[in-house]
């Protein structure tokens, strides 16, 4: 078993080099002694994570919407849709997130939102659907982050990004300030010239839910 796992590490090591620019998962939480991953890292297939005593890591796979909580001494190899885990304990399952395999109902909701927006501004469609009311927004700099509702006027949030308010230097979490958007609303997040339009799913949940279900990457 050990030899098989060692061979897998070697095999996935080469895959990791090839896929270095194609992350598949977000490290949603790290506790205790963990090497090879830090909170809010993007990790690619083939990445090896080692967990020490009392260690814990939570991985959210962005395409498969597969979320893993891995605890205890062991080794984790990041896959394309789920991890290969040796010795550590794993609790995992599907969650609601936006992926390339969105359900038809999600697509219908998105198209409906786009129709509403067309009467307000240029013809656009939401680029991502969130399943949490408090987005985590990835930024690439400092300044004023603006989140404004497009389908209903009057709802806007201005955030002055500071070193203290941004996680890992580039992620702002609305849940930390207790800010919740409206279910079913369509919003634009912008920072300077970067802008992403997103839809909050009508069944989106409040609070610090799984990060892959509420992540917005500014473009």
């Amino acid at each position: 078993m050990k030899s098989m796992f060692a061979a897998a590490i070697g095999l996935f090591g080469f895959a990791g080099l090839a896929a270095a620019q194609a992350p598949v998962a977000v490290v949603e939480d790290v506790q205790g002694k963990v090497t090879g991953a830090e909170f809010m890292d993007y990790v690619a297939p083939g990445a090896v994570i080692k967990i020490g005593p009392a260690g814990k890591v939570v991985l959210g796979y962005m395409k498969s919407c597969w979320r893993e909580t891995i605890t205890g001494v062991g080794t984790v190899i990041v896959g394309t849709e789920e991890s290969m885990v040796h010795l550590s304990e794993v609790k995992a399952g599907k969650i609601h997130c936006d992926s390339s395999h969105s359900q038809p109902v999600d697509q219908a909701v998105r198209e409906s939102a786009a129709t509403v927006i067309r009467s307000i501004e240029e013809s656009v469609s939401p680029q991502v659907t969130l399943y949490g009311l408090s987005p985590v927004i990835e930024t690439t700099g400092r300044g004023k982050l603006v989140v404004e509702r497009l389908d209903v006027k009057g709802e806007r949030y201005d955030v002055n990004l500071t070193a203290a308010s941004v996680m890992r230097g580039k992620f702002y979490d609305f849940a930390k300030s207790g800010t919740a958007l409206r279910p079913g609303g369509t919003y634009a997040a912008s920072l300077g010239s970067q802008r992403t339009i997103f839809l909050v799913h009508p069944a989106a949940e409040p609070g610090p839910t799984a990060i892959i279900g509420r992540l917005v990457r500014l473009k």
Side-chain angles (χ1 to χ4, degrees):
M1 183 69 179
K2 288 183 179 179
S3 60
M4 289 177 61
F5 194 79
I9 290 179
L11 177 63
F12 277 98
F14 289 110
L17 291 174
Q21 302 303 316
V24 293
V26 179
V27 181
E28 297 197 7
D29 190 23
V30 171
Q31 296 180 20
K33 187 176 181 180
V34 175
T35 58
E38 295 186 34
F39 176 56
M40 294 308 296
D41 273 353
Y42 289 115
V43 289
V48 177
I49 303 170
K50 295 184 178 181
I51 305 176
K56 170 183 172 182
V57 64
V58 178
L59 296 178
Y61 280 81
M62 296 179 286
K63 182 178 180 180
S64 64
C65 297
W66 186 253
R67 191 169 187 259
E68 304 170 334
T69 300
I70 307 167
T71 57
V73 177
T75 303
V76 180
I77 301 177
V78 176
T80 55
E81 296 188 352
E82 62 180 297
S83 303
M84 179 183 295
V85 180
H86 182 57
L87 298 179
S88 299
E89 179 181 351
V90 184
K91 294 182 180 179
K94 286 270 190 178
I95 67 160
H96 292 297
C97 82
D98 194 342
S99 71
S100 59
H101 300 291
S102 298
Q103 298 177 359
V105 65
D106 295 336
Q107 184 64 28
V109 170
R110 189 178 304 186
E111 290 174 355
S112 176
T115 301
V116 173
I117 298 172
R118 287 188 188 103
S119 65
I120 302 172
E121 55 173 30
E122 72 275 11
S123 177
V124 292
S125 176
Q127 296 156 278
V128 63
T129 299
L130 305 191
Y131 292 85
L133 297 179
S134 299
V136 173
I137 299 183
E138 180 184 1
T139 69
T140 57
R142 294 290 186 267
K144 180 183 286 187
L145 171 66
V146 177
V147 174
E148 186 172 17
R149 189 164 180 178
L150 300 179
D151 55 330
V152 176
K153 293 184 178 180
E155 186 182 353
R156 173 179 167 132
Y157 306 89
D158 294 326
V159 180
N160 291 315
L161 300 177
T162 65
S165 66
V166 179
M167 304 181 298
R168 290 301 305 276
K170 61 179 181 178
F171 295 94
Y172 182 83
D173 187 353
F174 275 78
K176 293 195 176 291
S177 63
T179 302
L181 306 185
R182 302 294 186 270
T186 302
Y187 296 82
S190 60
L191 177 65
S193 61
Q194 296 179 310
R195 189 168 189 258
T196 297
I197 295 173
F198 62 92
L199 169 68
V200 179
H201 195 276
E205 299 180 353
T209 56
I211 289 173
I212 56 170
R214 56 193 181 99
L215 181 63
V216 176
R217 305 173 76 176
L218 290 184
K219 301 176 181 180

